[in-house]
């Protein structure tokens, strides 16, 4: 991982290179949500040991409950199968175990764009909020860029034609 870019809707890890095998990508993709699961489990353990109720109706009442709620929400949101979120990378890795990488990437990016449109519509018409459609726009654009990058890497460059000053011509 070269660095992590923090955005208003979360962080994006920028990798120096893509993992060579689908299993490697799967492990990298589930690492982030796994951290949130561990944090949530530790919070539940601390709440139980501290005698605090862990009922769903109490979530958000105090700092530990709020942190638990945020970590669970982050796991659920990040595992939505849409690029560049971890769920989209998990989907591509799982597809890549059975399909060629290019085809797996194409399918995962397409699923990501459909999910982004659905999330945007849900945000606009159900939640009456602009936040989810804004995140959906980011996801849709990132999925399109990911697909274009994979297509560009898979397409061989055209053969070079000798120019007027080419000594080999």
């Amino acid at each position: 991982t070269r660095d992590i870019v923090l955005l208003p809707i979360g962080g994006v890890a920028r990798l120096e290179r893509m993992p060579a095998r689908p299993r490697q990508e799967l492990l990298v993709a589930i690492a982030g949500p796994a951290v949130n699961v561990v944090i949530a489990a530790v919070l539940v353990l601390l709440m139980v040991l501290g005698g605090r109720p862990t009922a769903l109706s109490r979530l958000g009442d105090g700092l530990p409950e709020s942190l638990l709620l945020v970590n669970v929400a982050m796991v659920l949101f990040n595992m939505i199968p849409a690029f560049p979120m971890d769920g989209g990378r998990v989907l591509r890795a799982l597809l890549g175990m059975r399909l060629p990488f290019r085809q797996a990437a194409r399918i995962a990016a397409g699923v990501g764009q459909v999910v982004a449109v659905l999330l945007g519509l849900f945000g606009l018409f159900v939640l009456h909020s602009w936040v989810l459609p804004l995140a959906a726009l980011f996801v849709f654009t990132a999925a399109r860029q990911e697909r274009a990058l994979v297509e560009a890497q898979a397409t061989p460059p055209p053969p070079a034609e000798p120019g007027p000053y080419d000594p080999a011509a």
Side-chain angles (χ1 to χ4, degrees):
T1 302
R2 182 176 45 191
D3 59 6
I4 297 175
V5 178
L6 295 177
L7 303 168
I9 62 167
V12 177
R14 295 190 317 172
L15 304 175
E16 288 183 14
R17 63 178 175 78
M18 286 304 301
R21 296 188 187 108
R23 268 202 181 99
Q24 292 172 333
E25 182 176 25
L26 181 64
L27 291 174
V28 169
I30 62 173
V35 170
N36 292 111
V37 169
V38 169
I39 291 170
V42 167
L43 287 167
V44 168
L45 181 65
L46 291 174
M47 289 166 58
V48 168
L49 292 175
R52 294 181 82 128
T54 56
L56 289 176
S57 62
R58 302 259 328 175
L59 291 180
D61 284 356
L63 182 60
E65 293 86 356
S66 295
L67 288 173
L68 176 62
L69 186 62
V70 166
N71 276 281
V72 170
M74 286 178 64
V75 169
L76 295 175
F77 186 73
N78 279 326
M79 289 309 293
I80 293 172
F83 276 96
M85 298 185 307
D86 297 315
R89 298 197 182 281
V90 167
L91 176 61
R92 180 172 68 183
L94 292 173
L95 290 170
M97 291 178 186
R98 299 269 187 233
L99 301 171
F101 176 78
R102 186 175 175 187
Q103 186 179 3
R106 213 179 296 134
I107 292 169
V111 168
Q113 288 182 307
V114 169
V115 169
V117 168
L118 294 174
L119 284 174
L121 293 173
F122 180 77
L124 278 177
F125 297 111
V126 177
L127 299 179
H128 305 289
S129 169
W130 59 270
V131 176
L132 195 55
L134 185 62
L137 179 63
F138 170 75
V139 169
F140 186 91
T141 303
R144 187 176 68 201
Q145 288 175 340
E146 183 77 20
R147 183 177 183 166
L149 178 66
V150 168
E151 293 294 332
Q153 290 172 342
T155 305
E161 293 184 23
Y165 302 107
D166 190 346

